[in-house]
Amino acid sequence: QVQVVESGGGLVQAGGSLRLSCAASGIIFSSNVMGGWYRQAPGKQRELVAAISSGGSTNYADSVKGRFTISRDNAKNTVYLQMNSLKPEDTAVYYCNVNVKILASRYDYWGQGTQVTVSS
């Protein structure tokens, strides 16, 4: 059974930093696994923040480019999101997504979310 667990959220002042971690169990991080971070603010739809391919290619939402960095450690089955220069508008619940390719199909697994609050 695949489980995805996020950690590292919290309260930080504007301009501060946080690092989110996403640990996956029940799968092996390899060429068949992609990772992503999404966020959902109150009253808004969930949006993609950053994603990383199995080969390490990354893409980011325009709103976080230059401030956030996504990375992965296959040996630890973990995806990270380093968030710098945080702004109040970054306040949201952050969710980790692990996308796994098994044979010809892809499967999405989600964590429970971790709250990030940025005070002005």
Side-chain angles (χ1 to χ4, degrees), residues 72-113:
R72 60 190 286 164
D73 185 335
N74 289 345
K76 295 182 178 180
N77 279 14
T78 300
V79 178
Y80 301 98
L81 185 68
Q82 178 66 45
M83 304 186 294
N84 298 328
S85 302
L86 282 161
K87 303 176 181 180
E89 51 264 43
D90 294 318
T91 295
V93 178
Y94 283 70
Y95 297 91
C96 177
N97 170 267
V98 175
N99 180 273
V100 183
K101 183 179 180 181
I102 302 174
L103 298 178
S105 299
R106 301 203 74 98
Y107 300 87
D108 281 310
Y109 299 95
W110 293 89
Q112 81 288 351

Side-chain angles (χ1 to χ4, degrees), residues 55-75:
S57 298
T58 59
N59 67 283
Y60 298 91
D62 288 342
S63 59
V64 307
K65 282 181 181 176
R67 300 188 297 121
F68 290 11
T69 303
I70 189 171
S71 61
R72 60 190 286 164
D73 185 335
N74 289 345

